[in-house]
Amino acid sequence: MGAVITPQLVDVVDTVSAVRSYSSGTSRHLSTCRVEPWGLRLECPTPEDPFSDSEVTWLMPALGLRLTHQRPRSRHARSGPSVLSAVRVQRDGRTWRTTDLLLGLAVPGGTTARIVRCEEFAAAVAGRVLGPGDADQALRTVHRTLEEVSLHRHDLGTWLTHRGIYDVWPSL
């Protein structure tokens, strides 16, 4: 069985209307949409997800990263890993356009981070969905970030502080 080639995912956030539009054609109203010195803070409810109550996302354009965490629906549920994804972010006034570069890191907290979406990334490169420039950017971003997170004992809070982001992750 061959790998399925996934098209690049593009999200557009309108910071004035607080709406996030997806390349699939769907959109979500954001409960949090705030421009920060380090990027953009987003949160939206996920009513269709039986396990997750909401998704917290931080866009960090200077780092070429999107940080995502699914808030569990139950207070007693075990939280999944945070995911750092390589992205290209373009800002145009009130609009933030994010192109997913199809490679990332899962950072569970308390244990080693690991590279994720490798097969999807490889299929996208082989199928020329992802060009050489984007592929190189994704690899460099993910490996640089893995090295930095490893130096901070896989603790996202410590790594974010090292990067000059003093907000608590995931925010309460």
Side-chain angles (χ1 to χ4, degrees):
M1 177 185 280
V4 176
I5 298 174
T6 303
Q8 275 188 292
L9 305 174
V10 178
D11 298 353
V12 178
V13 176
D14 183 320
T15 58
V16 174
S17 64
V19 172
R20 184 175 183 181
S21 302
Y22 300 89
S23 50
S24 65
T26 62
S27 62
R28 285 197 174 134
H29 190 72
L30 302 165
S31 54
T32 302
C33 181
R34 201 166 51 238
V35 176
E36 302 283 357
W38 45 260
L40 188 62
R41 177 192 310 260
L42 310 170
E43 184 167 355
C44 63
T46 54
E48 73 287 349
D49 188 329
F51 305 107
S52 169
D53 184 50
S54 65
E55 177 183 281
V56 179
T57 303
W58 288 3
L59 299 178
M60 300 175 285
L63 302 176
L65 293 168
R66 176 181 55 226
L67 180 54
T68 306
H69 180 76
Q70 304 291 328
R71 286 192 198 280
R73 205 165 278 289
S74 167
R75 290 186 306 165
H76 305 291
R78 181 174 228 168
S79 185
S82 293
V83 177
L84 283 157
S85 301
V87 294
R88 186 176 56 241
V89 179
Q90 299 164 306
R91 294 176 59 183
D92 182 18
R94 67 189 250 173
T95 304
W96 292 57
R97 180 185 177 96
T98 306
T99 304
D100 191 336
L101 301 181
L102 306 173
L103 193 62
L105 291 174
V107 186
T111 186
T112 306
R114 62 185 170 83
I115 296 175
V116 294
R117 300 175 65 200
C118 301
E119 292 169 357
E120 187 178 358
F121 174 77
V125 171
R128 297 188 179 166
V129 170
L130 201 61
D134 282 345
D136 185 57
Q137 180 182 343
L139 286 167
R140 288 177 188 274
T141 299
V142 167
H143 284 94
R144 178 200 73 228
T145 305
L146 177 59
E147 181 178 357
E148 290 177 4
V149 169
S150 297
L151 290 172
H152 292 92
R153 297 188 176 133
H154 306 276
D155 181 308
L156 281 177
T158 304
W159 173 74
L160 287 165
T161 299
H162 164 77
R163 284 312 215 142
I165 301 171
Y166 302 102
D167 298 343
V168 175
W169 175 259
S171 50
L172 303 172

Short mmCIF file of all heavy atoms in Angstrom, two decimals, residues 72-114:
data_model
loop_
_atom_site.label_atom_id
_atom_site.label_comp_id
_atom_site.label_asym_id
_atom_site.label_seq_id
_atom_site.Cartn_x
_atom_site.Cartn_y
_atom_site.Cartn_z
N PRO A 72 -8.56 18.30 27.26
CA PRO A 72 -9.48 17.17 27.42
C PRO A 72 -10.85 17.63 27.92
O PRO A 72 -10.97 18.61 28.65
CB PRO A 72 -8.81 16.28 28.46
CG PRO A 72 -7.54 16.93 28.84
CD PRO A 72 -7.42 18.23 28.15
N ARG A 73 -11.88 16.91 27.50
CA ARG A 73 -13.25 17.22 27.90
C ARG A 73 -13.45 16.97 29.39
O ARG A 73 -14.10 17.72 30.08
CB ARG A 73 -14.22 16.36 27.07
CG ARG A 73 -15.58 16.94 26.94
CD ARG A 73 -16.38 16.27 25.85
NE ARG A 73 -16.10 16.75 24.51
CZ ARG A 73 -16.46 17.94 24.03
NH1 ARG A 73 -17.08 18.80 24.79
NH2 ARG A 73 -16.18 18.27 22.80
N SER A 74 -12.85 15.89 29.89
CA SER A 74 -12.98 15.53 31.30
C SER A 74 -11.76 16.02 32.08
O SER A 74 -10.63 15.89 31.61
CB SER A 74 -13.09 14.01 31.43
OG SER A 74 -12.91 13.62 32.77
N ARG A 75 -12.01 16.54 33.28
CA ARG A 75 -10.89 16.98 34.12
C ARG A 75 -10.03 15.79 34.56
O ARG A 75 -8.89 15.96 34.94
CB ARG A 75 -11.41 17.70 35.36
CG ARG A 75 -12.01 19.03 35.05
CD ARG A 75 -12.37 19.79 36.27
NE ARG A 75 -13.24 19.01 37.15
CZ ARG A 75 -13.48 19.29 38.41
NH1 ARG A 75 -12.93 20.35 38.95
NH2 ARG A 75 -14.29 18.55 39.14
N HIS A 76 -10.58 14.59 34.49
CA HIS A 76 -9.87 13.40 34.94
C HIS A 76 -9.14 12.69 33.80
O HIS A 76 -8.40 11.74 34.04
CB HIS A 76 -10.84 12.43 35.62
CG HIS A 76 -11.60 13.09 36.73
ND1 HIS A 76 -10.99 13.49 37.91
CD2 HIS A 76 -12.90 13.45 36.83
CE1 HIS A 76 -11.89 14.05 38.69
NE2 HIS A 76 -13.06 14.05 38.07
N ALA A 77 -9.36 13.14 32.57
CA ALA A 77 -8.72 12.51 31.41
C ALA A 77 -7.24 12.88 31.36
O ALA A 77 -6.84 13.98 31.75
CB ALA A 77 -9.41 12.95 30.13
N ARG A 78 -6.49 11.97 30.85
CA ARG A 78 -5.05 12.22 30.66
C ARG A 78 -4.87 13.12 29.44
O ARG A 78 -5.44 12.89 28.39
CB ARG A 78 -4.34 10.89 30.45
CG ARG A 78 -2.88 11.05 30.27
CD ARG A 78 -2.21 9.72 30.20
NE ARG A 78 -1.08 9.78 31.10
CZ ARG A 78 -0.39 8.75 31.47
NH1 ARG A 78 -0.73 7.55 31.07
NH2 ARG A 78 0.63 8.89 32.26
N SER A 79 -4.08 14.14 29.60
CA SER A 79 -3.83 15.10 28.53
C SER A 79 -2.86 14.51 27.50
O SER A 79 -1.88 13.86 27.87
CB SER A 79 -3.24 16.38 29.13
OG SER A 79 -3.09 17.34 28.15
N GLY A 80 -3.14 14.73 26.23
CA GLY A 80 -2.24 14.27 25.17
C GLY A 80 -1.05 15.20 25.03
O GLY A 80 -0.96 16.23 25.71
N PRO A 81 -0.13 14.86 24.15
CA PRO A 81 1.06 15.70 23.97
C PRO A 81 0.72 17.03 23.29
O PRO A 81 -0.27 17.14 22.57
CB PRO A 81 1.95 14.86 23.06
CG PRO A 81 1.00 14.01 22.29
CD PRO A 81 -0.15 13.72 23.23
N SER A 82 1.55 18.01 23.54
CA SER A 82 1.50 19.24 22.77
C SER A 82 2.25 18.95 21.48
O SER A 82 3.15 18.11 21.45
CB SER A 82 2.19 20.38 23.52
OG SER A 82 1.46 20.71 24.68
N VAL A 83 1.86 19.63 20.41
CA VAL A 83 2.50 19.39 19.12
C VAL A 83 3.05 20.70 18.58
O VAL A 83 2.33 21.70 18.49
CB VAL A 83 1.51 18.76 18.11
CG1 VAL A 83 2.17 18.58 16.75
CG2 VAL A 83 0.98 17.43 18.62
N LEU A 84 4.32 20.68 18.23
CA LEU A 84 4.99 21.79 17.56
C LEU A 84 5.07 21.42 16.09
O LEU A 84 5.69 20.42 15.74
CB LEU A 84 6.40 21.99 18.11
CG LEU A 84 6.50 22.68 19.46
CD1 LEU A 84 7.81 22.33 20.15
CD2 LEU A 84 6.37 24.18 19.27
N SER A 85 4.41 22.20 15.23
CA SER A 85 4.40 21.92 13.80
C SER A 85 5.18 22.99 13.05
O SER A 85 5.04 24.18 13.35
CB SER A 85 2.97 21.90 13.26
OG SER A 85 2.21 20.93 13.92
N ALA A 86 5.96 22.57 12.06
CA ALA A 86 6.65 23.53 11.20
C ALA A 86 5.60 24.18 10.29
O ALA A 86 4.79 23.48 9.67
CB ALA A 86 7.71 22.83 10.37
N VAL A 87 5.60 25.51 10.24
CA VAL A 87 4.64 26.24 9.43
C VAL A 87 5.31 27.46 8.79
O VAL A 87 6.37 27.90 9.24
CB VAL A 87 3.41 26.73 10.26
CG1 VAL A 87 2.59 25.57 10.76
CG2 VAL A 87 3.84 27.63 11.40
N ARG A 88 4.65 27.96 7.78
CA ARG A 88 5.04 29.25 7.20
C ARG A 88 3.88 30.20 7.52
O ARG A 88 2.72 29.88 7.22
CB ARG A 88 5.26 29.13 5.69
CG ARG A 88 5.80 30.37 5.06
CD ARG A 88 6.12 30.20 3.58
NE ARG A 88 4.93 29.76 2.87
CZ ARG A 88 4.79 28.62 2.20
NH1 ARG A 88 5.70 27.82 2.10
NH2 ARG A 88 3.69 28.27 1.58
N VAL A 89 4.17 31.30 8.17
CA VAL A 89 3.14 32.26 8.57
C VAL A 89 3.34 33.55 7.80
O VAL A 89 4.43 34.10 7.77
CB VAL A 89 3.20 32.54 10.09
CG1 VAL A 89 2.14 33.55 10.50
CG2 VAL A 89 3.05 31.26 10.90
N GLN A 90 2.24 34.02 7.20
CA GLN A 90 2.25 35.31 6.49
C GLN A 90 1.20 36.20 7.14
O GLN A 90 0.06 35.78 7.31
CB GLN A 90 1.92 35.11 5.01
CG GLN A 90 2.94 34.22 4.31
CD GLN A 90 2.41 33.72 2.98
OE1 GLN A 90 1.35 33.14 2.92
NE2 GLN A 90 3.18 33.96 1.93
N ARG A 91 1.63 37.40 7.52
CA ARG A 91 0.72 38.37 8.15
C ARG A 91 0.42 39.48 7.17
O ARG A 91 1.32 40.00 6.51
CB ARG A 91 1.36 38.96 9.40
CG ARG A 91 1.56 37.96 10.49
CD ARG A 91 2.29 38.55 11.66
NE ARG A 91 1.56 39.70 12.21
CZ ARG A 91 2.01 40.43 13.20
NH1 ARG A 91 3.17 40.17 13.76
NH2 ARG A 91 1.30 41.45 13.65
N ASP A 92 -0.86 39.85 7.12
CA ASP A 92 -1.28 40.95 6.26
C ASP A 92 -2.35 41.73 7.01
O ASP A 92 -3.53 41.42 6.92
CB ASP A 92 -1.83 40.41 4.94
CG ASP A 92 -2.25 41.52 3.99
OD1 ASP A 92 -1.82 42.67 4.17
OD2 ASP A 92 -3.01 41.22 3.06
N GLY A 93 -1.90 42.67 7.83
CA GLY A 93 -2.84 43.45 8.63
C GLY A 93 -3.58 42.56 9.62
O GLY A 93 -2.98 41.98 10.51
N ARG A 94 -4.86 42.42 9.44
CA ARG A 94 -5.68 41.64 10.36
C ARG A 94 -5.69 40.14 10.07
O ARG A 94 -6.24 39.36 10.82
CB ARG A 94 -7.10 42.19 10.36
CG ARG A 94 -7.82 41.97 9.04
CD ARG A 94 -9.13 42.72 8.98
NE ARG A 94 -10.27 41.81 9.03
CZ ARG A 94 -11.51 42.22 9.13
NH1 ARG A 94 -11.79 43.51 9.20
NH2 ARG A 94 -12.50 41.36 9.16
N THR A 95 -5.08 39.73 8.96
CA THR A 95 -5.12 38.34 8.53
C THR A 95 -3.78 37.64 8.74
O THR A 95 -2.74 38.17 8.37
CB THR A 95 -5.50 38.26 7.03
OG1 THR A 95 -6.74 38.94 6.83
CG2 THR A 95 -5.62 36.84 6.56
N TRP A 96 -3.85 36.44 9.34
CA TRP A 96 -2.68 35.58 9.50
C TRP A 96 -2.94 34.32 8.69
O TRP A 96 -3.92 33.61 8.93
CB TRP A 96 -2.49 35.20 10.96
CG TRP A 96 -2.09 36.33 11.86
CD1 TRP A 96 -2.75 37.51 12.05
CD2 TRP A 96 -0.95 36.38 12.70
NE1 TRP A 96 -2.08 38.28 12.97
CE2 TRP A 96 -0.98 37.61 13.39
CE3 TRP A 96 0.08 35.48 12.96
CZ2 TRP A 96 0.00 37.97 14.30
CZ3 TRP A 96 1.06 35.85 13.88
CH2 TRP A 96 1.01 37.08 14.53
N ARG A 97 -2.07 34.03 7.74
CA ARG A 97 -2.20 32.85 6.87
C ARG A 97 -1.09 31.86 7.24
O ARG A 97 0.08 32.21 7.20
CB ARG A 97 -2.08 33.27 5.42
CG ARG A 97 -2.20 32.14 4.43
CD ARG A 97 -1.94 32.68 3.02
NE ARG A 97 -1.98 31.64 2.05
CZ ARG A 97 -3.05 31.33 1.34
NH1 ARG A 97 -4.16 32.01 1.47
NH2 ARG A 97 -2.99 30.34 0.47
N THR A 98 -1.50 30.65 7.61
CA THR A 98 -0.55 29.63 8.04
C THR A 98 -0.56 28.46 7.09
O THR A 98 -1.61 27.87 6.84
CB THR A 98 -0.93 29.13 9.45
OG1 THR A 98 -1.03 30.24 10.33
CG2 THR A 98 0.12 28.17 9.98
N THR A 99 0.60 28.13 6.54
CA THR A 99 0.74 26.95 5.68
C THR A 99 1.48 25.88 6.46
O THR A 99 2.61 26.09 6.91
CB THR A 99 1.52 27.31 4.39
OG1 THR A 99 0.86 28.40 3.74
CG2 THR A 99 1.60 26.12 3.46
N ASP A 100 0.84 24.73 6.62
CA ASP A 100 1.41 23.60 7.35
C ASP A 100 2.48 22.93 6.48
O ASP A 100 2.21 22.58 5.33
CB ASP A 100 0.29 22.60 7.68
CG ASP A 100 0.71 21.53 8.65
OD1 ASP A 100 1.91 21.24 8.75
OD2 ASP A 100 -0.19 20.97 9.30
N LEU A 101 3.67 22.76 7.03
CA LEU A 101 4.76 22.13 6.28
C LEU A 101 4.85 20.62 6.55
O LEU A 101 5.83 19.98 6.16
CB LEU A 101 6.09 22.84 6.58
CG LEU A 101 6.10 24.33 6.22
CD1 LEU A 101 7.45 24.95 6.54
CD2 LEU A 101 5.71 24.55 4.77
N LEU A 102 3.84 20.07 7.19
CA LEU A 102 3.61 18.62 7.31
C LEU A 102 4.68 17.84 8.06
O LEU A 102 4.89 16.65 7.81
CB LEU A 102 3.40 18.01 5.91
CG LEU A 102 2.30 18.67 5.08
CD1 LEU A 102 2.28 18.11 3.66
CD2 LEU A 102 0.95 18.48 5.75
N LEU A 103 5.34 18.50 9.02
CA LEU A 103 6.32 17.82 9.87
C LEU A 103 6.29 18.51 11.22
O LEU A 103 6.13 19.73 11.29
CB LEU A 103 7.72 17.91 9.26
CG LEU A 103 8.81 17.01 9.84
CD1 LEU A 103 8.46 15.53 9.64
CD2 LEU A 103 10.16 17.30 9.19
N GLY A 104 6.41 17.73 12.28
CA GLY A 104 6.35 18.34 13.60
C GLY A 104 6.94 17.49 14.69
O GLY A 104 7.56 16.46 14.44
N LEU A 105 6.75 17.97 15.93
CA LEU A 105 7.23 17.29 17.13
C LEU A 105 6.08 17.09 18.09
O LEU A 105 5.32 18.03 18.34
CB LEU A 105 8.26 18.14 17.87
CG LEU A 105 9.61 18.37 17.27
CD1 LEU A 105 10.38 19.37 18.15
CD2 LEU A 105 10.37 17.08 17.18
N ALA A 106 5.95 15.90 18.64
CA ALA A 106 5.02 15.67 19.74
C ALA A 106 5.85 15.77 21.02
O ALA A 106 6.88 15.12 21.15
CB ALA A 106 4.38 14.29 19.63
N VAL A 107 5.39 16.62 21.93
CA VAL A 107 6.11 16.84 23.19
C VAL A 107 5.16 16.48 24.33
O VAL A 107 4.34 17.30 24.75
CB VAL A 107 6.60 18.30 23.32
CG1 VAL A 107 7.48 18.47 24.55
CG2 VAL A 107 7.35 18.74 22.06
N PRO A 108 5.26 15.22 24.83
CA PRO A 108 4.32 14.76 25.84
C PRO A 108 4.51 15.40 27.21
O PRO A 108 3.60 15.41 28.02
CB PRO A 108 4.56 13.26 25.92
CG PRO A 108 5.54 12.92 24.87
CD PRO A 108 6.14 14.19 24.36
N GLY A 109 5.66 15.92 27.49
CA GLY A 109 5.95 16.46 28.82
C GLY A 109 6.38 15.33 29.73
O GLY A 109 5.69 14.32 29.85
N GLY A 110 7.52 15.48 30.34
CA GLY A 110 8.02 14.45 31.24
C GLY A 110 8.71 13.30 30.54
O GLY A 110 9.25 12.41 31.18
N THR A 111 8.68 13.31 29.23
CA THR A 111 9.36 12.27 28.46
C THR A 111 9.86 12.87 27.14
O THR A 111 9.55 14.01 26.82
CB THR A 111 8.42 11.06 28.22
OG1 THR A 111 9.14 10.01 27.59
CG2 THR A 111 7.23 11.44 27.37
N THR A 112 10.60 12.10 26.41
CA THR A 112 11.27 12.58 25.20
C THR A 112 10.31 13.01 24.10
O THR A 112 9.34 12.31 23.80
CB THR A 112 12.18 11.45 24.66
OG1 THR A 112 13.04 11.03 25.71
CG2 THR A 112 13.02 11.92 23.49
N ALA A 113 10.60 14.16 23.49
CA ALA A 113 9.86 14.62 22.32
C ALA A 113 10.20 13.71 21.15
O ALA A 113 11.28 13.11 21.10
CB ALA A 113 10.25 16.06 22.00
N ARG A 114 9.26 13.59 20.21
CA ARG A 114 9.54 12.76 19.03
C ARG A 114 9.01 13.44 17.78
O ARG A 114 8.02 14.17 17.82
CB ARG A 114 8.94 11.38 19.19
CG ARG A 114 7.46 11.36 19.33
CD ARG A 114 6.92 9.94 19.60
NE ARG A 114 5.54 9.99 19.97
CZ ARG A 114 4.53 10.06 19.10
NH1 ARG A 114 4.77 10.07 17.81
NH2 ARG A 114 3.28 10.10 19.51
#
